[in-house]
Amino acid sequence: MELHKRHVHSLSERKGQKRKLDDQLHANRQISPPPPTADERAAILCQASDQVRVLDSTFTWNEADRAAAKRATHTLADLAKNEEVANVIVEGGAIRALVRHLQAPPIGDDDRVQKPLPFEHEVEKGSAFALGLLAVKPEHQQLIVDSGALIHLVDLLKRHKNGLTSRAINSLIRRAADAITNLAHENSSIKTRVRMEGGIPPLVHLLEFADPKVQRAAASALRTLAFKNDENKNQIVECNALPNLILMLRSEDAAIHYEAVGVIGNLVHSSPNIKKEVLLAGALQPVIGLLSSCCSESQREAALLLGQFAATDSDCKVHIVQRGAVQPLIEMLQSPDVQLQEMSAFALGRLAQDTHNQAGLAHNGGLVPLLNLLDSKNGSLQHNAAFALYGLADNEDNVSDFIRVGGVQRLQEGEFIVQATKDCVAKTLKRLEEKIRGRVLKHLLYLRGIFIEHHGLELLIGLLGSSGSKQQLDGAVALCKLANKASTLSPVDAAPLSPTPQVYLGEKFVNNATLSDVTFLVEGKRFYAHRICLLASSDAFRAMFDGGYREKDAKDIEIPNIRWEIFELMMRFIYTGSTEITLDIAQDLLRAADQYLLEGLKRLCEYTIAKDISLENVSSMYELSEAFSAISLRHSCILFILEQFDKLSARPGHSLLIQRIIPEIRNYFIKVLMKTNSRNIRL
């Protein structure tokens, strides 16, 4: 997916930035010293020049010379630990002198009898260490190589070849490997030079070395050499490095398995053929095992490597999940370490692009931690989480979970840092919208309270209000299905109960003077009525006869603006609880029922009017429902619009009508979906 390519590159690039420095140097650099003053600089230059003169004059096997040379290399190394003065040391000529002492001095006739040779390997080790420190600054790397250091450093890697091993030799080899690491760091030409000088085979051979520190240093150098250099990658694999690297993944030494997983990650990056070889060599399970390592750096690199394994090979995605990677990756999402969160989200994002994995990732608890990471202020972390959620949204089984945990709302309301993340979130919401149909819709209806509370309904309404005609139609169809499942319009669904028990005197008392105690004048004609029946029928008549109105004591009450026919039907409903309503008088009767607060009669009128809704009049019918607060009629208009959306969309004024009714659509669905189980909805 294009949304993810930019970030994948930046993640992998981090793997080439490991700088191999000793523990003392790391401790010394916790607080960077200030740059030297002019006087301090002059003193350092003098000191460095003095040490260079010592080195120039002690290239012999004389014991005193060897001791002096060793002290000089240590002094220069101590100075080089401060990057602020490294340029001064170089200016003093240290590189040339140190490179010379990477090789042992020639053995004269007098030296042959001296056993063991004085400070054998020690001066070379000190020189390699000092050069490695100077190489931390990129501007010094090429100067050191041009001075001939590489060939000597490669030779030092082979010091054990004569069958001798000792602590001094091991330490020397380690310093040589460290120096190669720093020289080649982010320098493509020097990486190539190391290969051309024959540096890769001895480094691969050192992966079998008994000393774990040597193994670690060799792996670190190979890691740097493999980064963004295809020829180096191929030679490392051709030298049969993979079996030993995979064994190192299982090491109990965190430093060793950290470097091993880093080498494999750089070998695999952008190299599908090498990735296949790595997997065939058995790397997958030990890499998954590192997800539970006590070393957070190894966890991070393992998660990144699993993401690389899962990049294109669908079978590998499934195998990673089957072999137990999901749970530790989800746990890493909740780590306080931002880099662990970022790498695990990256790996889960790749795994979530496989259909077979998507439901399992959500079921195992991955959804909420990924949603939580959307609140991160780290753009890369936020993007990785969004990409993983995009994959999970592709599975219908996850849609209800997205809504249940408030995922839709989080996606809609989140503040996203980069445009790629915004695009990814928009596509995720669209995926969720498209999935709300069929069995998913049935399930959401079953969870109708959750559907509303967590913005599930907003997905469909968002489709209806979108600018695309297809999206609008999809939203209308889904809402229509939802409405059909949730409720059925019926004339029996009439009015709410009257606040007082209803009294029906019966048909024979309609406009009957017998026992009549009030008379209405309608269009000049008398209509006989009974206060007890009217008082029980509505609040309007109760106010008329029990309130402070003049009609309270009047015997004849004039009724303006209502035709005799309409008034008679209204009174018939009051006396009997029913009346026959035809289309030609339904709207006038609705107006009268609204005026006298006869909710039951209003519902019957609305039901009759609703049967006459058409493409031509639906807009005016909706206006009528608004004018008389005819909720049932309004809902009928909404359902008609959703059912006939395809045909209505071709008519003028359609868009304005839709935008106008969206708030009422929302209210309608909230009402019908939040009803209790008074209706038995068969799913």
Side-chain angles (χ1 to χ4, degrees):
M1 179 184 176
E2 287 298 326
L3 293 175
H4 212 47
K5 285 183 179 177
R6 174 190 58 80
H7 191 55
V8 170
H9 176 76
S10 68
L11 290 178
S12 301
E13 193 167 52
R14 184 179 295 119
K15 301 190 72 177
Q17 297 177 353
K18 168 69 178 172
R19 305 304 292 268
K20 192 72 178 70
L21 300 175
D22 72 345
D23 295 336
Q24 180 184 4
L25 174 61
H26 178 73
N28 289 344
R29 286 191 179 163
Q30 294 300 309
I31 301 176
S32 299
T37 63
D39 290 342
E40 290 171 337
R41 189 179 186 283
I44 292 167
L45 179 59
C46 180
Q47 186 181 11
S49 299
D50 288 343
Q51 303 310 313
V52 168
R53 282 192 289 273
V54 169
L55 291 174
D56 286 342
S57 63
T58 57
F59 193 59
T60 74
W61 278 111
N62 179 276
E63 184 170 0
D65 287 345
R66 293 293 285 175
K70 177 182 175 181
R71 287 193 299 272
T73 60
H74 286 186
T75 300
L76 290 171
D78 285 340
L79 290 172
K81 290 174 183 177
N82 180 354
E83 287 187 27
E84 296 294 337
V85 301
N87 290 339
V88 182
I89 301 168
V90 172
E91 185 181 336
I95 289 177
R96 174 190 52 77
L98 289 167
V99 168
R100 185 185 186 197
H101 279 271
L102 287 174
Q103 55 190 322
I107 299 178
D109 293 337
D110 295 336
D111 298 323
R112 294 184 190 280
V113 297
Q114 218 174 334
K115 296 294 184 179
L117 292 170
F119 301 102
E120 188 175 14
H121 313 300
E122 293 292 334
V123 179
E124 297 95 305
K125 180 184 76 173
S127 296
F129 182 42
L131 287 168
L133 294 174
L134 292 174
V136 168
K137 300 198 78 169
E139 60 267 32
H140 298 158
Q141 292 170 338
Q142 198 62 48
L143 291 174
I144 295 170
V145 171
D146 289 345
S147 296
L150 276 183
I151 191 170
H152 300 311
L153 290 170
V154 171
D155 284 341
L156 293 179
L157 297 176
K158 307 172 186 176
R159 276 284 173 101
H160 65 290
K161 289 278 186 152
N162 58 9
L164 298 175
T165 58
S166 66
R167 185 175 179 182
I169 290 176
N170 294 352
S171 184
L172 168 63
I173 294 171
R174 180 162 59 94
R175 293 305 188 195
D178 290 349
I180 289 173
T181 299
N182 284 357
L183 283 170
H185 175 67
E186 293 189 347
N187 193 313
S188 57
S189 64
I190 293 179
K191 291 176 188 177
T192 300
R193 284 282 298 275
V194 172
R195 183 183 75 253
M196 294 175 67
E197 296 287 357
I200 289 178
L203 286 169
V204 171
H205 182 73
L206 291 173
L207 297 177
E208 303 179 47
F209 212 74
D211 187 331
K213 290 184 178 180
V214 173
Q215 279 188 320
R216 175 185 176 185
S220 181
L222 290 171
R223 177 180 185 165
T224 298
L225 294 172
F227 182 66
K228 290 187 176 180
N229 192 304
D230 291 339
E231 291 80 4
N232 285 2
K233 291 181 188 181
N234 291 332
Q235 189 173 78
I236 291 169
V237 174
E238 289 165 3
C239 289
N240 204 30
L242 292 182
N244 287 315
L245 287 170
I246 291 170
L247 286 175
M248 292 167 67
L249 292 176
R250 299 183 183 273
S251 171
E252 294 182 2
D253 186 331
I256 288 179
H257 59 60
Y258 167 68
E259 295 295 353
V261 73
V263 179
I264 293 174
N266 281 358
L267 290 173
V268 165
H269 179 59
S270 300
S271 300
N273 291 332
I274 293 179
K275 182 175 79 172
K276 290 178 182 177
E277 291 192 51
V278 167
L279 290 170
L280 287 172
L284 185 55
Q285 198 60 53
V287 171
I288 291 174
L290 289 180
L291 295 177
S292 302
S293 168
C294 60
C295 172
S296 60
E297 289 84 359
S298 292
Q299 285 182 293
R300 183 186 71 224
E301 296 295 336
L304 178 55
L305 182 52
L306 288 175
Q308 291 174 313
F309 284 160
T312 55
D313 189 331
S314 182
D315 288 340
C316 188
K317 291 183 177 75
V318 175
H319 294 161
I320 291 170
V321 171
Q322 290 173 338
R323 289 170 178 254
V326 171
Q327 203 56 50
L329 284 171
I330 291 174
E331 290 172 4
M332 288 165 64
L333 291 176
Q334 301 166 77
S335 166
D337 186 327
V338 173
Q339 289 190 338
L340 275 184
Q341 292 176 332
E342 186 179 349
M343 295 303 109
S344 57
F346 169 68
L348 288 168
R350 289 294 183 84
L351 295 175
Q353 306 313 308
D354 182 86
T355 305
H356 300 289
N357 294 339
Q358 291 158 353
L361 294 177
H363 179 73
N364 279 283
L367 191 55
V368 171
L370 286 169
L371 287 167
N372 289 340
L373 294 183
L374 294 180
D375 297 330
S376 170
K377 301 304 180 186
N378 181 306
S380 298
L381 173 56
Q382 195 182 63
H383 182 75
N384 284 351
F387 184 69
L389 291 167
Y390 171 77
L392 297 183
D394 196 35
N395 191 298
E396 289 185 350
D397 292 325
N398 293 339
V399 175
S400 59
D401 288 332
F402 260 97
I403 293 171
R404 180 176 54 81
V405 300
V408 175
Q409 183 175 359
R410 301 281 289 275
L411 291 167
Q412 289 176 330
E413 298 178 358
E415 296 181 3
F416 305 111
I417 298 169
V418 298
Q419 186 59 45
T421 306
K422 296 176 183 176
D423 295 340
C424 187
V425 167
K427 294 192 175 195
T428 302
L429 286 168
K430 188 174 188 311
R431 269 190 172 179
L432 290 170
E433 291 167 352
E434 292 170 349
K435 299 293 178 186
I436 300 181
R437 59 178 184 269
R439 66 184 179 89
V440 176
L441 185 58
K442 292 178 182 179
H443 188 202
L444 292 173
L445 182 56
Y446 179 75
L447 303 171
R448 50 191 175 275
I450 293 171
F451 187 68
I452 295 171
E453 291 169 10
H454 297 289
H455 282 223
L457 182 61
E458 294 302 321
L459 280 173
L460 300 183
I461 293 177
L463 278 177
L464 193 65
S466 66
S467 57
S469 58
K470 184 180 183 305
Q471 289 84 354
Q472 288 179 346
L473 181 58
D474 289 343
V477 170
L479 286 167
C480 190
K481 289 180 180 178
L482 183 60
N484 290 337
K485 287 288 182 182
S487 66
T488 303
L489 187 64
S490 168
V492 180
D493 191 24
L497 293 175
S498 173
T500 58
Q502 188 69 51
V503 177
Y504 296 119
L505 292 184
E507 177 74 26
K508 66 179 181 179
F509 287 102
V510 176
N511 198 17
N512 189 329
T514 303
L515 300 178
S516 172
D517 54 2
V518 63
T519 303
F520 293 102
L521 298 176
V522 182
E523 293 186 333
K525 295 188 288 185
R526 292 184 181 276
F527 194 101
Y528 298 100
H530 307 78
R531 289 175 186 264
I532 188 171
C533 187
L534 298 174
L535 284 168
S537 66
S538 79
D539 289 336
F541 284 115
R542 278 190 289 277
M544 182 182 293
F545 296 123
D546 284 347
Y549 295 97
R550 58 186 175 84
E551 290 91 348
K552 178 178 180 181
D553 299 319
K555 189 166 184 180
D556 294 332
I557 301 171
E558 186 172 358
I559 302 297
N561 303 323
I562 296 182
R563 302 195 328 261
W564 172 270
E565 178 187 15
I566 301 302
F567 188 80
E568 183 182 27
L569 288 173
M570 182 180 78
M571 298 302 286
R572 190 174 301 280
F573 177 81
I574 291 172
Y575 276 78
T576 66
S578 65
T579 189
E580 184 178 349
I581 304 172
T582 58
L583 274 173
D584 58 322
I585 53 92
Q587 292 193 25
D588 288 339
L589 190 55
L590 172 66
R591 186 177 293 105
D594 181 65
Q595 180 179 340
Y596 287 97
L597 305 180
L598 298 168
E599 291 298 326
L601 181 58
K602 272 184 70 174
R603 289 289 180 87
L604 291 175
C605 293
E606 291 175 58
Y607 179 66
T608 301
I609 295 169
K611 292 189 291 185
D612 190 43
I613 297 175
S614 66
L615 296 174
E616 290 75 19
N617 68 13
V618 64
S619 181
S620 61
M621 289 292 193
Y622 188 82
E623 291 175 358
L624 180 70
S625 73
E626 288 188 313
F628 297 110
S629 300
I631 296 173
S632 181
L633 177 59
R634 191 179 311 166
H635 291 169
S636 295
C637 291
I638 288 171
L639 290 174
F640 182 87
I641 290 168
L642 294 176
E643 290 169 356
Q644 303 295 326
F645 195 89
D646 195 19
K647 295 177 182 177
L648 276 170
S649 61
R651 303 180 72 86
H654 158 263
S655 296
L656 292 176
L657 176 62
I658 295 302
Q659 295 302 321
R660 178 181 173 187
I661 70 170
I662 279 179
E664 189 56 39
I665 290 176
R666 183 180 289 106
N667 293 337
Y668 166 73
F669 278 101
I670 289 174
K671 177 183 176 182
V672 297
L673 290 174
M674 288 300 289
K675 280 183 178 179
T676 59
N677 294 327
S678 59
R679 293 181 182 177
N680 181 22
I681 302 173
R682 297 179 63 187
L683 297 179

